[in-house]
Amino acid sequence: MVVVKGFEVVEGELGHGLPYFAFGQGRPLVFLRWFTPDHTNPSGWMRASEVKTLAPLAGNFRVYAVNRAPGMAEGTSMADIARDHAAALREEFGEPVDVLGISSGGSVALQLAADHPSAVRRLVIASSGCRLPEPARASQLKYARAAAEGKRALQHMATVGIESPVKARLVGAVAWLADPLMRPKNPADTLAFVLAEDAFDVTDRLTDITAPTLVIGGERDEFYPQSIFHQTAEGIPDSRLTIYPDTTHMGAIKHERFAPEVTEFLGSAT
């Protein structure tokens, strides 16, 4: 156990090898992590940053920050990942739990809720949607394949959504220089998950999601157009949609309205 940003953080592993850390007080809230190169718990400044981002929720919930399992086999599908998550959550909690999926974690959460509705009490999808848009798919795939080949890769992810060619070149150059400090420790895991998300599409499965759902997006999200946020919310029978004006992909979860709205939504059912 360690103390980060004033919170006692407990680290562990759920069934099927899913690493997690937990902090806060209250009913369990399972946070499925955004895209991470390594299938481990973050450490150092990355852990501190994650705890700081989730801290506004930890006053009302026991937050479990869960990652994908390391050693992901080649050919793993999003349905395989969701199956393992469902089994792990049932084993750990013994009842449906609230799930918050952000970015790539939203892909996992939507597949989980569609395939295993009995595992999810209420669902929040933030900066994510029913499928990965083409620009995001292409950039992730370039990143993962370059990393798997031992090449510099970060620039492929860093420039998504930058409209100015000059700014894109500058940001890409900085990312290229920073890449050696942020390379995946196990690029095979990175590539396996990216290929699973590359094929992910639950557009035709949204009606299978029975959990009340809140979809949150940013108006200026670099990865997801507003149309996908709308499509996702409109396809889920019991859902609502919130779009934050003038807000980016990760800006949505740091928005001043985010934690209060998520808390109100998750607390509005007995």
Side-chain angles (χ1 to χ4, degrees), residues 145-200:
R145 284 178 170 162
E149 294 170 2
K151 300 176 181 178
R152 297 193 186 220
L154 191 59
Q155 69 276 9
H156 296 302
M157 294 282 284
T159 55
V160 174
I162 299 178
E163 296 179 356
S164 166
V166 174
K167 184 177 180 181
R169 283 196 295 270
L170 289 173
V171 171
V174 172
W176 188 87
L177 291 171
D179 179 85
L181 303 175
M182 304 178 70
R183 287 185 179 175
K185 295 179 176 63
N186 186 352
D189 273 352
T190 310
L191 182 57
F193 178 75
V194 165
L195 289 173
E197 192 171 26
D198 186 74
F200 164 78

Side-chain angles (χ1 to χ4, degrees), residues 9-14 17-24 28-34 36 39-42 46-47 49-55 58 61-68 85 89 93 98 100 102:
V9 178
V10 177
E11 189 167 2
E13 184 178 286
L14 301 179
L18 305 181
Y20 79 92
F21 68 72
F23 66 102
L29 171 58
V30 175
F31 157 57
L32 301 184
R33 281 198 180 100
W34 38 64
T36 59
H39 296 181
T40 59
N41 288 323
M46 292 183 69
R47 175 175 294 197
S49 177
E50 188 170 294
V51 170
K52 180 180 179 181
T53 299
L54 299 170
F61 303 97
R62 178 70 169 172
V63 178
Y64 289 77
V66 179
N67 209 340
R68 278 71 70 181
H85 277 68
L89 295 183
F93 301 108
D98 296 327
L100 165 62
I102 298 176

